[in-house]
Amino acid sequence: MGQKVQSYADEQQLASLGHKGELKRQFSPLSMLGLAFAILNSWTALSASLSLALPSGGSTSVVWGLITAGICNLCLAASLAEFLSAYPTAGGQYHWVAVISPKRWVPLLSWITGWINVSGWIALVASGGLLGSQLILGVISMMHPSYSPQRWHQFLIYIGYNIFAFIVNAFLNSSLAYVNKAAITWSILGFVVISITVLACASPNYSSGEFVFRHFINETGWPDGIAWLLGLLQGGLGLTGYDAVAHMIEEIPNASVEGPKIMIYCVGIGAFTGFVFLVSLLFVAGDIDQVIASPAGPLLQILYNATRSHAGAICLLLFPLICLLFATTSIMTTSSRMTYAFARDGGLPRSKFFAKVHSRLRLPLNALYLTTGLVIIFGCIFLGSSSAFNAIISASVVALGISYAIPVAINCLQGRKKLPPRPFVLPSAFAWFANLIGIAYVIVTTVLFVFPPDLPVTGSNMNYCVVAFSIIIIISTIQWFVDGRKHFTGPRHDIGLEVLEAVNTNGENDSGSKDAVKETAVSK
C-alpha cells in the first residue's frame, strides 16, 4: 500500500511538471547509486587516465588535482541537487533552465542547454569503450613487446564494448537494477583487492611520501602553473557524469528526496575511493619515467612494478576492464534517457520518433538506437584520426560541465530566489559558496581543456576539442532556425492537467489512496 501511494505521488509530481510517467520506477536508491557510481567509475577512470596528469604536473597533479576537482564537483553536485529536488524530471538541466529563466529567453536558453547536454552524454558513451580498448591493447603490448597496435584493432574492441552495452540496455532492461548493484559491488571489490594487493606485494619498497605528495613533473612545454592546471583534466574526467541521476530520476520512487542524496553521495564516494586508490598506486609506482613511457600504459606498468608478475598484473587489470563494461552500459542507459527526454519536449529532429517508448520493453528504444549509432560513427572517425576521436571525448567533459553551470549561474543572477520549496535545501551561506565555486571551476576548466596538451603545437597534438564543441553549436544553431524557433517553447506543460486527472482517477480507484497521495504531494 505504501509503495502504491508513493508511486501515485511521484506520478502526480511528474504530471505537475507536464509529463506522463511512461518509464517503470524499478530502481531502488542502492541500484541508482550503483548506476551513478558505475558512470563516474572514479577510481577506474582516474587510474586508466594517468597519462593525462603524470606528464602534466606529476604526482602533485594526480593527488592535489583530484582533491581540487573533488571539492569543486561536490559544490556543483550540491548545487544541482537543489534543482533535482524541486524538479525531478529526466530533462534535467534544460528543464531547470526553462523554469528559472526570464520568459522571453526560455526557449533559446533551454534549447542551448538541452543540445549541449545531449551531445555531451552521447560523446561520453564513447569514453568507456575507448579506455577499455586502450587497456586491452596495453595487455597485448606487455605480453608481446614486438606487437604494433593498429587503429582498427582498437576500433574493433571499442565496437565490442558498445554492442555489449546496447544488448544489455535493449533486451535486459528489467535486469538493469541488478546490473547496477553488481556494478557498484564489483567496483568496490576491485578497489579493495587491487589496493591491498599492490601494497602487500611491493612491501617494503615503497616510494617516499615526498614523491607521492610533492613530486612535480612538466613534460608539456607549458609554464609550470599552466601544466599543473592542464592536469586537472584527469580529475575532471573521473568525476563527471553525476547528472545521470537526474536523467534517470523518473525510474526511482520518492524521487525528490532520494535523488539529491544519490547525486551527492556518488561524487563523494568517487572522490574518496579515487584519492585512496591513486595514492596507493603512487606509493608502489617505481620508476616514474618508465611508467610514463611504457607502451603498456601507466596503470598496467604500475601493477607490474608492484607485483613483478605479468600474470598478476593482468589479473588485477580485469577489475577495471569489467568496471568499464559496466560504465559503458550505464552511460548508454543515461544517454538514451536524456535523448528521450529532450525529444519528448520537441528539441530534436524527428522528436516524435525518438520520444517513443517501446510498449513491451518499456524503454525509449529509438533513442537508444540513436545513441548507439552515433557512438559507432565516432569510432569510424577514430579510424581516420586519433586526435579527432580524443577531441570528442574532451568535448563531452566540457559540454557536461557547461550544462551544470548554466542553471546554477542563472539562479545566482536572480538572487537564488527562483527555486520553489523543496525537500533538499542548502543553507544560504553555503549555497552561495557552492554555487560560485562550481561556476568558477567550470569557467576555468572549459578554457583549459581546449588548450593543446603539449608545446610546440602540431597538427597531430593539437586539441581539437574546440572544433568538436563548435560543431555541436553550429548544428544546434541551424536546427534552431530551421525548426526550433517556430515550434520549441521549452519543456511542455500542456499535458499536465490531463495527466494529473488520470493520476487522481487512479488514486480514487485505490480504496482511498487519493487522500494519501495528496498528503504526500503536499509534504513534498
Side-chain angles (χ1 to χ4, degrees):
M1 175 68 175
Q3 290 182 346
K4 186 171 287 189
V5 169
Q6 184 60 59
S7 176
Y8 285 144
D10 287 326
E11 298 310 324
Q12 189 177 57
Q13 185 179 30
L14 183 60
S16 70
L17 297 174
H19 294 299
K20 177 183 178 181
E22 298 179 280
L23 303 176
K24 184 179 179 182
R25 294 186 184 270
Q26 62 176 332
F27 294 103
S28 67
L30 178 59
S31 62
M32 183 58 70
L33 178 61
L35 179 138
F37 186 69
I39 288 174
L40 265 69
N41 213 10
S42 297
W43 70 268
T44 301
L46 290 165
S47 58
S49 59
L50 278 167
S51 58
L52 295 174
L54 283 176
S56 188
S59 56
T60 62
S61 184
V62 171
V63 175
W64 300 109
L66 174 60
I67 291 176
T68 302
I71 292 172
C72 294
N73 277 289
L74 275 172
C75 288
L76 266 178
S79 301
L80 294 179
E82 288 194 294
F83 286 89
L84 181 59
S85 184
Y87 305 106
T89 170
Q93 293 93 303
Y94 82 86
H95 192 118
W96 303 336
V97 165
V99 293
I100 66 171
S101 297
K103 185 169 286 188
R104 61 177 295 197
W105 293 104
V106 165
L108 182 59
L109 291 175
S110 181
W111 177 274
I112 291 171
T113 307
W115 268 86
I116 290 174
N117 200 204
V118 168
S119 302
W121 270 103
I122 291 177
L124 191 64
V125 177
S127 65
L130 173 66
L131 293 174
S133 62
Q134 287 177 338
L135 292 182
I136 291 174
L137 289 182
V139 171
I140 300 173
S141 297
M142 173 172 280
M143 299 303 296
H144 303 280
S146 61
Y147 168 68
S148 178
Q150 302 296 317
R151 284 182 188 165
W152 66 270
H153 299 167
Q154 188 170 357
F155 172 76
L156 291 178
I157 300 170
Y158 165 83
I159 293 298
Y161 262 80
N162 286 291
I163 288 177
F164 173 86
F166 172 80
I167 291 172
V168 172
N169 274 283
F171 304 112
L172 298 175
N173 183 52
S174 60
S175 301
L176 281 178
Y178 301 105
V179 172
N180 294 334
K181 290 178 182 177
I184 191 171
T185 302
W186 181 263
S187 183
I188 296 298
L189 178 65
F191 159 73
V192 173
V193 169
I194 296 177
S195 299
I196 293 176
T197 301
V198 296
L199 289 173
C201 290
S203 178
N205 301 313
Y206 298 131
S207 302
S208 67
E210 174 78 14
F211 167 80
V212 173
F213 296 104
R214 297 186 62 183
H215 188 67
F216 184 84
I217 300 172
N218 182 4
E219 298 182 357
T220 66
W222 288 101
D224 288 350
I226 297 296
W228 189 90
L229 290 171
L230 289 175
L232 280 176
L233 179 58
Q234 183 202 19
L237 176 63
L239 294 173
T240 196
Y242 42 86
D243 59 313
V245 182
H247 307 311
M248 298 292 294
I249 199 68
E250 295 176 25
E251 297 176 61
I252 65 171
N254 200 14
S256 61
V257 174
E258 298 297 337
K261 297 178 187 176
I262 297 169
M263 182 176 282
I264 296 172
Y265 289 165
C266 71
V267 179
I269 294 172
F272 173 76
T273 55
F275 175 80
V276 173
F277 192 73
L278 290 180
V279 168
S280 299
L281 290 183
L282 289 172
F283 268 115
V284 302
D287 184 348
I288 197 64
D289 294 325
Q290 178 196 30
V291 168
I292 293 174
S294 172
L299 175 58
L300 186 56
Q301 187 62 49
I302 290 175
L303 296 180
Y304 173 74
N305 289 349
T307 61
R308 292 298 170 187
S309 165
H310 285 157
I314 293 170
C315 285
L316 291 179
L317 195 70
L318 287 176
F319 283 103
L321 277 173
I322 295 176
C323 280
L324 288 170
L325 271 179
F326 283 128
T328 306
T329 302
S330 300
I331 297 171
M332 187 174 287
T333 304
T334 306
S335 178
S336 66
R337 301 313 193 264
M338 176 62 213
T339 302
Y340 153 78
F342 197 44
R344 183 176 61 180
D345 286 318
L348 295 177
R350 300 203 63 191
S351 285
K352 289 183 180 180
F353 177 77
F354 293 118
K356 284 183 179 178
V357 174
H358 194 282
S359 58
R360 183 171 59 84
L361 297 176
R362 296 288 300 276
L363 59 88
L365 189 61
N366 293 337
L368 186 61
Y369 283 138
L370 176 64
T371 296
T372 307
L374 289 174
V375 168
I376 291 175
I377 291 173
F378 293 163
C380 293
I381 295 173
F382 172 65
L383 287 174
S385 171
S386 59
S387 296
F389 186 80
N390 290 334
I392 292 169
I393 304 302
S394 299
S396 71
V397 178
V398 171
L400 290 177
I402 292 174
S403 76
Y404 299 160
I406 290 175
V408 178
I410 293 173
N411 194 35
C412 285
L413 289 173
Q414 299 182 88
R416 281 188 44 85
K417 298 177 181 178
K418 301 298 290 186
L419 292 179
R422 55 203 179 275
F424 181 81
V425 182
L426 292 174
S428 181
F430 177 74
W432 276 105
F433 170 81
N435 291 175
L436 295 176
I437 287 292
I439 294 169
Y441 172 75
V442 170
I443 292 172
V444 171
T445 54
T446 297
V447 173
L448 287 170
F449 293 171
V450 299
F451 277 33
D454 302 295
L455 293 179
V457 180
T458 65
S460 61
N461 72 3
M462 175 63 187
N463 188 341
Y464 291 98
C465 172
V466 67
V467 177
F469 194 71
S470 297
I471 291 173
I472 296 171
I473 299 298
I474 291 170
I475 293 174
S476 64
T477 301
I478 293 173
Q479 183 62 19
W480 168 258
F481 285 106
V482 170
D483 180 62
R485 64 174 180 166
K486 301 174 185 175
H487 303 112
F488 185 77
T489 58
R492 293 176 178 169
H493 298 276
D494 54 343
I495 66 168
L497 292 176
E498 177 186 341
V499 179
L500 272 170
E501 183 178 344
V503 172
N504 286 336
T505 299
N506 288 335
E508 287 174 340
N509 293 335
D510 184 52
S511 56
S513 66
K514 181 181 177 183
D515 292 337
V517 174
K518 284 185 174 181
E519 288 180 15
T520 306
V522 169
S523 69
K524 290 178 178 243

